[in-house]
C-alpha cells in the first residue's frame, strides 16, 4: 500500500466495496478490518497494523465513517494502553492483549493516581508481590475514569520498596472483574460521576501481564502520560444512521463510552457557544466583552496550530515532545477564558442549574467543569515544570528523595 492519503482512500474504498457486511457482529467486522490491515494502519505489520504513518489512522477512520462502516474503538485502550504496550512490550503481552483491544473485546481504564500520589506519581504505595504464577496487589487508586465498566486496568504498583522511588515501580495489566477489585463511583461537583475509587485487596494478576519489565514501570508510565497529554480531543464517531448489526453495536458501544464523557465539551469551555450567546444576550456590542471574545478566539486558534504541530511531529515518527505540555497548557487557558467570557455575558444567573437556567444549565456546567481541564493528565503546574526542565533546560526542581530507598522516605497518606 502506498503511503499517500489519496491512494490510501482509493485502496480502502475498493476494499470496502467487496468486504463490507452490515450484518456481521461489530467484533467480527473489526477482525475482518484487522486481517486486511485497516484496523490500526499505523501499527507495525507484525502487530495487526500496516506499518503506515500515524496520520493514516485518521484518514482510514474518516473514510470508513464516510462509507457508512465502523472502525477501531475509541477510548483509553486504543489511545493509551495499546501505544504503551507497542512501545514497551514484551511480545507475550502484545500477543495476548493488542488484538482484543483493537476489536473492542476488552475496554481499559487507567489506575495511576492514589490519594497520596497524583502530581508526585512516583510516590505511589500500592504494592504488588510475586506469588507463584501470579502477582498479588493491594492498595488504593483514585480518580479512575471509566473504571466502573472497564475490563482491564493500566496499573502502576510498587514491587521494590528498597529501590529509589522511580525505580521500584512495575507497570501491570490488572483484570478488573475479580473479587479483589472493588470499584466505588465518585460524584463530582458538576453532578456527573465519571471517576471512581478502586480498592485492591489481594487482587491477582497473571505473572506475565507486566508491561516492559519488572521495576521499569516508570518508563511505561512516562509513555502513557505523554500520549495522555494529546488525548483531550476525543470525539464521538459520526456513525451513519443506516441499519445493520455492525452499526447498531458500534452505536451502543459509543453510547456506553461517551456517557462517561458527556461533560467533557463543557470541561473545554464550549468556545463554540460564545459568539452565538453574545448575540442572543445582546452583549455582542459591549466593547469589554468583544475584547475578551477576541482574546479567546485568538488563543483557541493558536492552540489549534500547536495541536497541528504535535500531529505533524507524530506523523514524522517523533515521540510526543514538549508540544504535548504546551498544547495541554493552552487548552487549560482556552477553557478558563471561555468560562470567563460566558460569565461576563450571562452575569450572576450563570450559576443557576436546571431547565429554566441559561442554556438549560449548560453555563453552570461549564463553570463547574472547566477546573478539571487544568488537572486531568497532569496539572498546569506540572506541565510548566516539564517544559522548564525538559524543553528550556532549566535546573531540575530540588528533590531530596530521588536516590534514597523508597521505604525510608516520608510519605503522604
Ligand atoms: C477529569 C480527570 C480525569 C482523571 N482521570 C484519571 C484516570 O483515569 N486515572 C488516574 O489514575 N488519574 C486520573 N485523574 C487524576 C489526575 O491525574 C490527578 O488529579 C492529577 O495528576 C493531580 O494529582 P492530585 O489530584 O493528587 O493533585 P496534587 O498532586 O495533590 O496537586 C495539588 C496542587 O498542588 C500542585 N503541585 C503539586 N506538585 C507540584 C509541584 N511539584 N510543583 C508545583 N505545583 C505542584 C498541583 O499543580 C495542584 O495545583 C483524573 C483527573 C481529572 C481531573
Amino acid at each position: 500500500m502506498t503511503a499517500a492519503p489519496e491512494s490510501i482512500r482509493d485502496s480502502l474504498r475498493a476494499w470496502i466495496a467487496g468486504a463490507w457486511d452490515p450484518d456481521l457482529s461489530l467484533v467480527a467486522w473489526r477482525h475482518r478490518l484487522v486481517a486486511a490491515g485497516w484496523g490500526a494502519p499505523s501499527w507495525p505489520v507484525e502487530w495487526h497494523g500496516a506499518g503506515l504513518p500515524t496520520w493514516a489512522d485518521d484518514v482510514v477512520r474518516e473514510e470508513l465513517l464516510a462509507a457508512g462502516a465502523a472502525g477501531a474503538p475509541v477510548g483509553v485502550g486504543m489511545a493509551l494502553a495499546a501505544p504503551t504496550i507497542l512501545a514497551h512490550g514484551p511480545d507475550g503481552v502484545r500477543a495476548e492483549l493488542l488484538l482484543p483491544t483493537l476489536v473492542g473485546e476488552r475496554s481499559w481504564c487507567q489506575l495511576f493516581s492514589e490519594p497520596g500520589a497524583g502530581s508526585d506519581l512516583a510516590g505511589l504505595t500500592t504494592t504488588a508481590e510475586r506469588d507463584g504464577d501470579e502477582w498479588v496487589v493491594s492498595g488504593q487508586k483514585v480518580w479512575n475514569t471509566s473504571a466502573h465498566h472497564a475490563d482491564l486496568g493500566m496499573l502502576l504498583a510498587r514491587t521494590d520498596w528498597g529501590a529509589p522511588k522511580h525505580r521500584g515501580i512495575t507497570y501491570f495489566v490488572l483484570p478488573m472483574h475479580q473479587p479483589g477489585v472493588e470499584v466505588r463511583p465518585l460524584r463530582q461537583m458538576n453532578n456527573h460521576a465519571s471517576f471512581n475509587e478502586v480498592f485492591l485487596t489481594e487482587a491477582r494478576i497473571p505473572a506475565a501481564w507486566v508491561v516492559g519489565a519488572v521495576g521499569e514501570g516508570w518508563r511505561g508510565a512516562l509513555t502513557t502520560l505523554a500520549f495522555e497529554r494529546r488525548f483531550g480531543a476525543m470525539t464521538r464517531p459520526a456513525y451513519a444512521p443506516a441499519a445493520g448489526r455492525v452499526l447498531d453495536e458500534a452505536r451502543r458501544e459509543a453510547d456506553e463510552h461517551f456517557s462517561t464523557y458527556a461533560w467533557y465539551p463543557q470541561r473545554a469551555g464550549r468556545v463554540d457557544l460564545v459568539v452565538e450567546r453574545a448575540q442572543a444576550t445582546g452583549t455582542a456590542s459591549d466593547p469589554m466583552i468583544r475584547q475578551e471574545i477576541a482574546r479567546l478566539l485568538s488563543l483557541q486558534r493558536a492552540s489549534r496550530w500547536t495541536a497541528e504541530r504535535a500531529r505533524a511531529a507524530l506523523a514524522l515518527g517523533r515521540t510526543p515532545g514538549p508540544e504535548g505540555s504546551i498544547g495541554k497548557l493552552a487548552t487549560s487557558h482556552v477553557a478558563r477564558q471561555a468560562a470567563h467570557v460566558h460569565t461576563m455575558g450571562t452575569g450572576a444567573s450563570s450559576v443557576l442549574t436546571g431547565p429554566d437556567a441559561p442554556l438549560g444549565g449548560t453555563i453552570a456546567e461549564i463553570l463547574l467543569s472547566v477546573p478539571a481541564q487544568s488537572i486531568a493528565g497532569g496539572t498546569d503546574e506540572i506541565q510548566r515544570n516539564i517544559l522548564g526542565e525538559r524543553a528550556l533546560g532549566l535546573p531540575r526542581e530540588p528533590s531530596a528523595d530521588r536516590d534514597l530507598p523508597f521505604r525510608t522516605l516520608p510519605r503522604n497518606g
Side-chain angles (χ1 to χ4, degrees):
M1 206 183 298
T2 327
E6 267 325 301
S7 65
I8 289 174
R9 285 184 200 280
D10 290 345
S11 316
L12 180 55
R13 269 186 225 127
W15 180 81
I16 292 172
W20 171 237
D21 178 351
D23 297 323
L24 290 176
S25 72
L26 178 59
V27 168
W29 164 244
R30 283 183 176 147
H31 274 290
R32 196 175 275 192
L33 274 176
V34 172
W38 297 116
S42 71
W43 290 11
V45 175
E46 64 272 35
W47 298 114
H48 318 295
L52 288 172
T54 315
W55 52 257
D57 292 343
D58 290 342
V59 171
V60 166
R61 192 177 307 114
E62 280 165 24
E63 202 55 48
L64 284 165
L65 288 173
V74 179
V76 296
M78 289 298 291
L80 308 185
T84 305
I85 291 171
L86 281 168
H88 296 279
D91 280 356
V93 173
R94 292 180 177 132
E96 202 166 351
L97 296 175
L98 286 174
L99 187 57
T101 303
L102 179 50
V103 299
E105 280 177 323
R106 303 280 194 119
S107 64
W108 291 74
C109 66
Q110 184 190 17
L111 303 173
F112 280 17
S113 307
E114 297 184 1
S119 301
D120 181 23
L121 183 59
L124 59 88
T125 57
T126 291
T127 301
E129 285 174 5
R130 185 72 184 258
D131 177 21
D133 288 344
E134 293 178 317
W135 290 90
V136 180
V137 195
S138 293
Q140 187 197 336
K141 297 288 172 176
V142 71
W143 314 128
N144 312 112
T145 308
S146 291
H148 52 295
H149 51 74
D151 302 309
L152 300 171
M154 294 164 255
L155 173 79
L156 296 181
R158 191 161 299 282
T159 42
D160 184 354
W161 284 65
K165 65 196 286 192
H166 295 85
R167 279 182 250 152
I169 295 171
T170 300
Y171 195 134
F172 294 98
V173 180
L174 175 76
M176 295 293 288
H177 308 301
Q178 57 165 312
V181 178
E182 186 193 346
V183 180
R184 294 191 201 159
L186 292 168
R187 194 155 290 277
Q188 301 135 216
M189 67 178 172
N190 64 6
N191 204 32
H192 290 270
S194 44
F195 299 128
N196 303 272
E197 299 177 285
V198 177
F199 294 86
L200 305 169
T201 311
E202 297 187 0
R204 305 263 155 183
I205 298 178
W209 283 22
V210 168
V211 177
V214 173
E216 291 183 12
W218 190 246
R219 292 180 57 219
L222 291 181
T223 301
T224 304
L225 292 171
F227 279 101
E228 189 172 3
R229 280 178 218 123
R230 302 187 300 108
F231 177 52
M234 187 180 50
T235 45
R236 188 190 165 100
Y239 293 121
R245 186 172 170 193
V246 173
L247 289 174
D248 284 347
E249 290 183 9
R251 279 187 285 263
R252 270 204 298 282
E253 177 190 78
D255 284 346
E256 188 191 11
H257 178 77
F258 283 93
S259 63
T260 305
Y261 296 94
W263 58 283
Y264 274 44
Q266 282 67 265
R267 182 180 97 157
R270 294 305 301 267
V271 180
D272 57 315
L273 298 178
V274 160
V275 171
E276 191 185 309
R277 180 89 190 128
Q279 283 159 351
T281 54
T283 52
S285 53
D286 178 320
M288 295 301 287
I289 292 187
R290 289 170 72 86
Q291 191 166 318
E292 292 304 312
I293 292 177
R295 195 191 302 272
L296 169 64
L297 297 182
S298 335
L299 261 174
Q300 189 202 31
R301 190 66 59 87
S303 141
R304 271 205 212 124
W305 286 331
T306 305
E308 287 302 319
R309 272 212 315 279
R311 283 167 75 89
L314 202 75
L316 292 172
R318 297 195 200 130
T319 44
E323 309 89 8
S325 290
I326 297 171
K328 186 162 188 306
L329 269 178
T331 52
S332 297
H333 281 298
V334 168
R336 266 197 301 274
Q337 175 68 5
H340 173 58
V341 172
H342 280 302
T343 319
M344 280 181 91
T346 304
S349 54
S350 303
V351 295
L352 297 178
T353 59
D356 298 334
L359 282 185
T362 301
I363 304 285
E365 190 166 293
I366 292 169
L367 300 188
L368 292 174
S369 304
V370 154
Q373 187 76 49
S374 332
I375 303 172
T379 66
D380 285 2
E381 288 77 12
I382 295 303
Q383 304 312 320
R384 291 196 184 92
N385 283 349
I386 293 172
L387 288 170
E389 293 174 12
R390 297 192 208 151
L392 302 177
L394 297 175
R396 288 189 75 90
E397 200 180 0
S399 152
D401 63 4
R402 291 190 75 83
D403 299 318
L404 299 170
F406 185 73
R407 71 161 59 85
T408 65
L409 303 181
R411 284 186 298 278
N412 290 332

